[in-house]
């Protein structure tokens, strides 16, 4: 019944998708660059099971998304299984419970069969006719991915269904277990030859030599290409009884029955046990010499990458297609939008490539995604990455020295817990810190001589760590040293100095941070420099201290997620600030990692003349809602092209700098994979039962939220009363401070096309 309903809906979907299809068809490709593929063509993007990184593998949504969000010549991948009555279906695993709810419908259908000699329990397609499978629904097979689409009706598709519904430019059929089906009196050879007469099959792959040799005569003069798939180096190929590693040494033998090879990506760029790249192998060049194309597999965005890529999946793809030595002929990905961008928009592009858009790139503690934040290493990397504005969150030592550190709590950004100062840990209700060792506890000499910087890992709960070899690299920087580095960097247009906790430091610790900053700027000659000086704070009283000088851009930070802002509040901010920083969730609110809508905060602020900068952009996939496809470039593009933000504050300046040089942003017809996503698009594909629980809306920023009392005078600091034995001063009492901190035109998204299926 559902299948009939599905086909009836198809006509309306095609009508609605016509605009999207037109844009996709017009999407430009990088045709001017020379590729080091076998034939000099640009590499292919192969969508494994469609867009399987987001929606259930091999489902109708996955295939349609892949076709609409990828290069115009994308090839969709189908893992072929055979049913009891010989129907070829697209399903990612031999065991049907790994990707469907078949165990719900056939509770007694579990069997155990030998697979490559290993007894394997599960629900197998050979035990069910295609009609038996009609009520079975596809579901997410990777537990770390969102299960919210499991309730949306998506039947198991036949090979012909994929062609008829998604109309892909290319089709790749993968036969993983020919020997298994032969054991059950089902012949994959007969099916493949039969289906190739009915539909155009561009590629057929298998890890079984005997299967490819059995069909080579049929396809020798056909445009269909046969590809030998390599599994693990030490795994045995069943028909030759040789390991795949040994077969890799005999490419002339492979060439007798295949025109190309498909290898896991670590065959080409091996990775050591510490998750760093080793030198590339000669697999690609050896295969090309033998006349074989090379396709690389196992690309995903939502898993840890080698640290060399700084969690940037585009950088990983470029390392396979544009490294100056070789290029693979295609990549097999669960997220086909990302290799599409890499190939069309970012390949063969240097750091001096023309910028296509005006987007200010502001660092967050330097390149803190690669090195410990606010160190000489992080700042040098940010400068080489193309940052515009270098930032310094100012902290004060016990002896009043201003220096750069991302937190007043030394435990967040240093190794203080590994030193003799670890016994200084106390709670501080004024700073909302349960257990901290504070910068004002130690002198500059103690910090510099005893502590080491520590890289900040905001997603350690996801086991996503940053550049572990460099986790303690670099040196702490006084504000004066930071200003000198920025002044000497001709590519840096300005500095952003963040000041927080000024009232507390003045009233309770006898430290004047605003005066220390003004003094450092004056001594560094920044009052006469052409560099932009930005002072950022969530405290309006701090910004008012800098109002007397027209040299400073005063940046008000709204550090709470907000849903709206009143006009009167914006007028109030105009009294002390020139620009505003807001959070990403104040632009695109999320619920359980799904974007629910967009706010009007950005356009309202800009209507009053405020540039709007958004924080924090990070490369780790865990930092991005699912709507951005675990792709930092999609996230930045949606904020810039979709909402028109003026700048990004980012731990990874290289990513934002690369984005604004994207070749695709300069095309007359912007390809669809470089258009902003539609907020709430993925949620629209869910059934009511699968929706994330509704959350209360974020607050509206009001006038009272931005009004702060004047900064108190700096108290006279009493002499030290407690000595720890290391020359360090223990923190004094922490009475209440009373300083509150409160926190474009979109094109039709192809996701919206899929949502119409639910309405039919």
């Amino acid at each position: 019944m559902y299948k009939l309903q599905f086909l009836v809906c198809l006509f309306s979907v095609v009508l609605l998708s016509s605009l999207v299809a037109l844009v996709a068809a017009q999407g430009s490709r990088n045709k001017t660059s020379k590729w080091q593929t076998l034939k000099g063509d640009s590499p292919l993007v192969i969508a494994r099971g469609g867009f399987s990184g987001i929606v259930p593998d091999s489902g109708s949504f996955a295939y349609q998304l892949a076709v609409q969000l990828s290069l115009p010549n994308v090839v969709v991948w189908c893992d072929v299984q055979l049913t009891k009555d010989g129907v070829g279906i697209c399903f990612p695993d031999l065991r049907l419970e790994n990707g469907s709810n078949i165990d719900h419908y056939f509770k007694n259908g579990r069997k155990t069969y030998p697979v490559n000699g290993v007894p394997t329990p599960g629900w197998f397609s050979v035990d069910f006719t295609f009609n038996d499978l009609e009520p079975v629904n596809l579901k997410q097979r990777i537990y770390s991915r969102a299960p919210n689409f499991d309730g949306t009706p998506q039947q198991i598709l036949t090979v012909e269904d994929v062609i008829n519904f998604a109309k892909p430019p290319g089709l790749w059929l993968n036969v993983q277990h020919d020997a298994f089906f032969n054991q059950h009196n089902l012949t994959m050879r007969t099916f493949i030859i039969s289906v190739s007469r009915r539909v155009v099959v561009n590629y057929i792959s298998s890890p079984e030599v005997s299967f490819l040799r059995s069909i080579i005569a049929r396809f020798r003069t056909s445009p269909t290409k046969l590809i030998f798939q390599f599994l693990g180096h030490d795994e045995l190929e069943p028909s030759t009884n040789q390991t795949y590693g040994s077969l890799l040494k005999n490419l002339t033998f492979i060439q007798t029955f295949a025109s190309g090879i498909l290898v896991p990506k670590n065959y080409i760029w091996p990775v050591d046990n510490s998750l760093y790249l080793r030198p590339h192998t000669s697999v690609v060049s050896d295969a090309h010499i033998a006349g074989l194309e090379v396709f690389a597999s196992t690309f995903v965005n939502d898993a840890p990458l080698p640290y060399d890529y700084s969690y940037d999946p585009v950088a990983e793809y470029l390392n396979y297609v544009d490294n100056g030595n070789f290029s693979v002929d295609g990549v097999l990905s669960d997220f086909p939008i990302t290799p599409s961008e890499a190939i069309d928009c970012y390949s063969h592009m240097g750091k001096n490539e023309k910028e296509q858009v005006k987007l200010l790139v502001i660092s967050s503690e330097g390149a803190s995604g690669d090195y410990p934040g606010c160190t000489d290493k992080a700042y040098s990397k940010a400068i080489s990455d193309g940052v515009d504005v270098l930032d310094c969150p100012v902290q004060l030592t016990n002896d009043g020295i201003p220096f750069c550190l991302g937190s007043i709590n030394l435990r967040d950004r240093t190794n203080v817990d590994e030193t003799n100062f670890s016994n200084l840990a106390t709670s501080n209700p004024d700073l909302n810190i349960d257990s901290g060792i504070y910068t004002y506890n130690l002198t500059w000499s103690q910090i510099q001589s005893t502590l080491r910087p520590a890289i900040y890992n905001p997603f350690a709960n996801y086991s996503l760590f940053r550049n572990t070899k460099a986790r303690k690299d670099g040196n702490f920087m006084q504000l004066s040293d930071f200003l000198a580095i920025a002044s000497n960097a001709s590519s840096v247009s300005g500095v952003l100095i963040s000041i927080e906790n000024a009232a507390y430091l003045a009233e309770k610790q006898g430290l004047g941070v605003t005066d220390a900053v003004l003094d450092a700027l004056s001594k560094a000659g920044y009052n006469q420099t052409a560099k932009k000086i930005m002072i950022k704070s969530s405290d309006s009283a701090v910004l008012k201290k800098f109002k007397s000088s027209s040299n400073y851009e005063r940046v008000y930070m709204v550090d709470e997620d907000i849903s709206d802002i009143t006009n009167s509040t914006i007028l109030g901010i105009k009294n002390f600030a020139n620009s505003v920083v807001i959070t990403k969730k104040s632009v695109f609110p999320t619920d359980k990692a799904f974007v629910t809508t967009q706010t009007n905060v950005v356009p309202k602020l800009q209507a009053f003349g405020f540039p709007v900068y958004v924080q924090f952009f990070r490369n780790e996939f865990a930092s991005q809602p699912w709507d951005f496809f675990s792709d930092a470039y999609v996230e930045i593009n949606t904020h810039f092209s979709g909402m028109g933000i003026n700048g990004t504050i980012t731990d990874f300046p290289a990513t934002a700098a690369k984005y604004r040089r994207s070749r695709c942003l300069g095309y007359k017809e912007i390809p669809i994979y470089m258009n902003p996503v539609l907020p709430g698009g993925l949620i629209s594909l869910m059934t009511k039962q699968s929706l994330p629980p509704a959350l209360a809306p974020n607050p509206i920023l009001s006038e009272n939220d931005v009004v702060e009392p004047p900064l108190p005078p700096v108290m006279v600091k009493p002499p030290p009363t407690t000595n720890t034995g290391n020359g360090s001063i223990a923190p004094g009492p922490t009475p209440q401070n009373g300083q509150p901190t409160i926190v474009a035109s979109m094109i039709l998204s192809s996701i919206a096309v899929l949502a119409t299926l639910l309405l039919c």
Side-chain angles (χ1 to χ4, degrees):
M1 181 65 182
Y2 169 73
K3 187 169 184 179
L4 177 61
Q5 185 181 21
F6 178 85
L7 294 174
V8 170
C9 282
L10 189 56
F11 179 71
S12 61
V13 173
V14 170
L15 286 178
L16 184 56
S17 64
S18 59
L19 175 59
V20 175
L22 176 62
V23 175
Q26 293 174 344
S28 301
R29 289 178 55 192
N30 179 6
K31 300 173 182 176
T32 59
S33 303
K34 293 183 178 179
W35 295 97
Q36 293 176 289
T37 53
L38 179 63
K39 297 181 180 178
D41 299 326
S42 61
L44 283 177
V45 172
I46 305 120
R48 195 193 65 76
F51 210 131
S52 55
I54 296 295
V55 290
D57 195 314
S58 302
S60 54
F61 287 179
Y63 284 120
Q64 187 177 14
L65 275 179
V67 171
Q68 293 181 350
L69 295 178
S70 307
L71 285 170
N73 63 339
V74 66
V75 176
V76 301
W77 167 284
C78 164
D79 280 295
V80 183
Q81 319 295 340
L82 293 180
T83 63
K84 187 176 183 179
D85 49 346
V87 176
I89 60 173
C90 296
F91 196 84
D93 198 285
L94 191 62
R95 293 171 295 176
L96 298 181
E97 74 273 19
N98 290 342
S100 82
N101 63 351
I102 191 170
D103 49 335
H104 173 76
Y105 286 97
F106 300 95
K107 298 185 184 300
N108 298 321
R110 189 171 186 261
K111 302 287 182 63
T112 298
Y113 294 122
V115 179
N116 293 334
V118 178
T120 304
W123 281 256
F124 296 87
S125 61
V126 296
D127 293 320
F128 305 94
T129 67
F130 183 64
N131 285 339
D132 292 336
L133 299 178
E134 184 173 0
V136 175
N137 201 47
L138 296 173
K139 68 177 184 180
Q140 181 55 254
R141 63 191 294 261
I142 308 295
Y143 291 128
S144 60
R145 293 174 178 168
N148 301 68
F149 308 102
D150 293 356
T152 305
Q154 291 189 80
Q155 282 185 307
I156 294 174
L157 302 178
T158 67
V159 173
E160 289 90 340
D161 286 337
V162 173
I163 293 293
N164 293 334
F165 176 66
K167 294 181 170 50
L171 177 64
W172 185 308
L173 300 181
N174 181 59
V175 178
Q176 198 77 7
H177 296 285
D178 173 59
F180 173 82
F181 290 105
N182 284 335
Q183 294 168 10
H184 293 268
N185 298 318
L186 292 167
T187 167
M188 189 66 77
R189 178 182 183 277
T190 299
F191 171 77
I192 291 294
I193 291 175
S194 173
V195 77
S196 68
R197 294 191 178 111
R198 300 192 299 273
V199 301
V200 176
V201 180
N202 303 88
Y203 296 88
I204 299 170
S205 62
S206 179
E208 298 183 9
V209 170
S210 59
F211 173 72
L212 293 177
R213 295 183 76 176
S214 74
I215 63 173
I216 181 64
R218 168 64 180 81
F219 293 101
R220 195 178 296 278
T221 59
S222 165
T224 302
K225 296 181 179 181
L226 304 188
I227 308 297
F228 180 59
Q229 180 186 6
F230 282 80
L231 303 182
H233 277 90
D234 298 326
E235 290 187 57
L236 282 177
E237 192 285 318
S239 56
T240 64
N241 207 32
Q242 296 184 52
T243 65
Y244 288 97
S246 63
L247 287 171
L248 189 63
K249 300 174 183 177
N250 194 0
L251 293 176
T252 54
F253 169 64
I254 305 298
Q255 203 268 341
T256 62
F257 58 85
S259 60
I261 59 174
L262 172 67
V263 298
K265 62 186 181 182
N266 61 10
Y267 269 55
I268 300 169
W269 283 100
V271 180
D272 65 21
N273 292 333
S274 300
L275 210 58
Y276 287 90
L277 290 175
R278 294 165 52 196
H280 67 77
T281 67
S282 61
V283 166
V284 177
S285 56
D286 291 347
H288 283 174
I289 290 172
L292 294 167
E293 291 184 298
V294 181
F295 301 92
S297 65
T298 64
F299 287 95
V300 297
N301 290 5
D302 57 344
L305 300 177
Y307 295 118
D308 310 72
Y309 299 129
S310 300
Y311 287 100
D312 178 359
V314 166
E316 181 182 36
Y317 286 111
L318 291 176
N319 204 31
Y320 284 82
V321 302
D322 179 27
N323 58 46
N325 296 305
F326 60 82
S327 172
V328 298
D329 299 273
V331 292
L332 177 64
S333 174
D334 289 18
F335 294 82
I337 190 172
T338 305
S340 297
E341 301 163 30
I343 292 167
D344 193 14
C345 308
Y346 299 108
S347 62
H348 304 103
M349 186 178 72
K351 288 187 176 181
N352 295 323
E353 197 89 6
K354 176 185 174 183
E355 293 178 3
Q356 303 292 341
V357 295
K358 194 171 183 62
L359 176 70
L360 198 67
V361 178
I362 305 170
S363 69
S364 171
E365 305 176 36
S368 56
D370 294 304
Y371 290 99
C374 298
T375 61
D376 54 343
K377 291 264 192 179
Y379 288 132
S380 296
K381 179 70 164 56
I383 293 168
S384 67
D385 286 343
V387 74
D388 296 315
V389 176
L390 211 57
D391 78 302
C392 169
V394 174
Q395 312 298 339
L396 289 182
T397 63
N398 183 267
D399 49 347
I401 302 297
F403 73 109
C404 305
L405 196 70
S407 174
I408 196 172
N409 185 357
L410 291 168
R411 304 181 81 176
D412 292 338
R413 299 293 195 278
T414 77
N415 71 333
V416 67
D417 284 328
E418 301 171 7
T419 72
N420 291 333
F421 297 121
S422 60
N423 62 348
L424 295 181
T426 60
S427 64
N428 190 324
D430 293 322
L431 300 177
N432 294 318
I433 297 174
D434 291 332
S435 179
I437 302 170
Y438 307 97
T439 58
Y440 55 75
N441 291 150
L442 305 182
T443 66
W444 172 247
S445 175
Q446 290 168 330
I447 289 173
Q448 193 177 37
S449 63
T450 307
L451 307 188
R452 294 298 306 158
I455 203 164
Y456 177 49
N457 293 297
F459 303 103
N461 288 343
Y462 295 86
S463 297
L464 299 177
F465 300 96
R466 294 174 169 178
N467 198 5
T468 55
K469 285 184 178 179
R471 65 186 182 275
K472 294 182 180 179
D473 282 6
N475 299 302
F476 297 113
M477 303 290 292
Q478 286 192 25
L479 177 57
S480 57
D481 299 325
F482 163 81
L483 292 172
I485 285 180
S487 178
N488 293 329
S490 59
S491 62
V492 172
S493 62
V495 295
L496 182 146
I497 297 173
S498 300
I499 302 174
E500 297 298 329
N501 309 308
Y504 169 80
L505 291 171
E507 188 175 13
K508 306 304 180 185
Q509 299 299 330
L511 296 169
V513 62
T514 55
D515 292 337
V517 169
L518 285 165
D519 182 60
L521 286 169
S522 177
K523 288 180 178 177
Y526 267 71
N527 292 335
Q528 291 81 39
T529 184
K531 301 271 189 189
K532 176 188 290 189
I533 304 170
M534 305 170 72
I535 307 295
K536 183 184 76 162
S537 181
S538 62
D539 187 340
S540 59
V542 169
L543 299 180
K544 288 176 181 177
K545 286 276 289 186
F546 292 85
K547 191 174 181 180
S548 59
S549 175
S550 60
N551 292 342
Y552 304 135
E553 178 180 336
R554 287 160 284 117
V555 186
Y556 181 59
M557 181 176 70
V558 182
D559 56 1
E560 184 179 3
D561 301 330
I562 61 174
S563 62
D564 202 352
I565 182 170
T566 64
N567 289 348
S568 58
T569 304
I570 299 175
L571 290 172
I573 294 174
K574 265 191 170 297
N575 292 325
F576 56 83
N578 314 105
S579 56
V580 178
V581 168
I582 60 176
T583 65
K584 292 191 299 184
K585 288 185 179 181
S586 296
V587 185
F588 294 110
T590 62
D591 189 353
K592 298 296 183 182
F594 288 99
V595 173
T596 56
T597 185
Q598 66 189 46
T599 72
N600 291 319
V601 174
V602 173
K604 287 180 76 170
L605 286 166
Q606 290 175 335
F608 282 82
F610 283 104
V612 180
Y613 313 120
V614 177
Q615 66 181 23
F616 293 102
F617 286 89
R618 290 164 172 148
N619 284 1
E620 291 97 338
F621 65 88
S623 72
Q624 300 140 15
W626 289 111
D627 302 69
F628 301 135
F629 310 128
S630 302
D631 184 324
Y633 297 87
V634 174
E635 181 178 44
I636 294 173
N637 186 51
T638 301
H639 281 79
F640 176 77
S641 297
M643 293 302 295
I645 69 170
N646 300 96
T648 65
I649 300 178
T650 174
D651 298 8
F652 297 89
T655 303
K658 186 189 296 181
Y659 161 75
R660 63 185 179 185
R661 300 194 307 272
S662 168
R663 183 185 300 107
C664 295
L665 294 174
Y667 289 163
K668 183 177 180 181
E669 296 286 350
I670 303 237
I672 197 165
Y673 38 84
M674 282 303 294
N675 275 287
V677 302
L678 184 68
L682 288 183
I683 283 182
S684 69
L685 301 182
M686 303 174 192
T687 61
K688 184 177 180 180
Q689 294 76 15
S690 300
L691 290 172
L695 300 178
N698 292 325
I700 298 172
L701 196 68
S702 67
E703 290 179 80
N704 291 336
D705 297 327
V706 302
V707 175
E708 309 280 1
L711 291 178
V714 178
M715 76 167 190
V716 178
K717 196 171 183 180
T721 57
T722 305
N723 194 287
T724 65
N726 297 300
S728 59
I729 307 303
T734 56
Q736 289 298 317
N737 174 26
Q739 179 190 11
T741 53
I742 307 297
V743 188
S745 175
M746 307 290 288
I747 69 157
L748 176 63
S749 169
S750 57
I751 295 175
V753 174
L754 299 184
T756 62
L757 290 173
L758 302 178
L759 302 177
C760 297

